[in-house]
Amino acid sequence: ALGTALAGPFLTRYQSLDTLVPYAPDAQQIANRCLRNTCLTYLVSADPEHLGLASQQYRLAGNMTDRLAALKEIAFHGEGALRDETLEDFYRDWRHEALVVNQWFQVQAAIPDSRGLLRVQALMSHADFELRNPNKVRALVGGFTHQNPVNFHRLDGAGYRFLGDVVVQL
């Protein structure tokens, strides 16, 4: 509702924070990135037409904060090919960085669509997932249980059974 009611101001602020200034980990840039990505979340949540902004931000991002924020919006609100291609592109670019792959697992684990649990179960067989690696488990299983309440707390109890099975395996 906020994204719909305030689409104009969110879009104006989002665009005003778009800068070509080289990345710097200073307080002002961190605040600007946070505000810009919050605006993007409201815009895309309110209207899927704003996925174009997320796609553009993903392609042009000069830092991981902006790229991950855009990836999350595309993963959560994008349909089929856009979602799959963007997730695959991110993985292809970052597959050699274990910590970034963990973030990729976590984004997918949190997607609140009807295939959430099936996606997480399939990712447990991914070549880069290792059940004996606590960071991988935290990213995928923890991401699912803590950031995907729609799927973890399913009425049929499948999310709880999944977690129980993982605990037994561990």
Side-chain angles (χ1 to χ4, degrees):
L2 287 173
T4 300
L6 300 172
F10 279 132
L11 183 58
T12 299
R13 177 56 69 194
Y14 176 84
Q15 292 169 335
S16 76
L17 295 169
D18 187 14
T19 179
L20 297 176
V21 175
Y23 172 83
D26 63 47
Q28 188 61 54
Q29 279 197 21
I30 291 168
N32 288 349
R33 282 191 295 275
C34 182
L35 180 56
R36 184 168 191 256
N37 290 325
T38 299
C39 291
L40 182 65
T41 295
Y42 278 108
L43 288 165
V44 175
S45 295
D47 188 347
E49 287 190 22
H50 291 295
L51 279 166
L53 292 174
S55 292
Q56 181 179 3
Q57 178 172 313
Y58 176 82
R59 286 190 316 276
L60 301 176
N63 60 78
M64 186 59 73
T65 301
D66 287 345
R67 179 148 303 164
L68 267 174
L71 176 68
K72 180 182 174 193
E73 296 311 319
I74 294 166
F76 278 39
H77 302 285
E79 297 288 327
L82 174 63
R83 174 193 288 175
D84 296 343
E85 289 169 11
T86 307
L87 286 165
E88 183 57 34
D89 179 72
F90 187 88
Y91 175 74
R92 197 173 34 254
D93 288 348
W94 294 99
R95 67 181 175 261
H96 302 296
E97 296 289 338
L99 296 177
V100 180
V101 170
N102 289 350
Q103 292 176 315
W104 177 76
F105 279 130
Q106 190 170 5
V107 165
Q108 292 181 82
I111 298 171
D113 68 359
S114 62
R115 294 188 24 81
L117 179 57
L118 293 173
R119 180 180 304 102
V120 171
Q121 290 169 324
L123 285 168
M124 290 194 62
S125 297
H126 191 277
D128 284 329
F129 181 80
E130 300 171 37
L131 191 61
R132 293 182 172 259
N133 181 320
N135 291 332
K136 301 286 184 200
V137 173
R138 183 180 306 112
L140 185 59
V141 178
F144 177 72
T145 60
H146 294 287
Q147 297 175 17
N148 198 337
V150 169
N151 284 290
F152 179 58
H153 300 293
R154 289 171 37 159
L155 293 177
D156 65 2
Y160 301 138
R161 281 191 298 281
F162 164 74
L163 179 58
D165 292 344
V166 171
V167 169
V168 168
Q169 287 178 323
L170 288 171

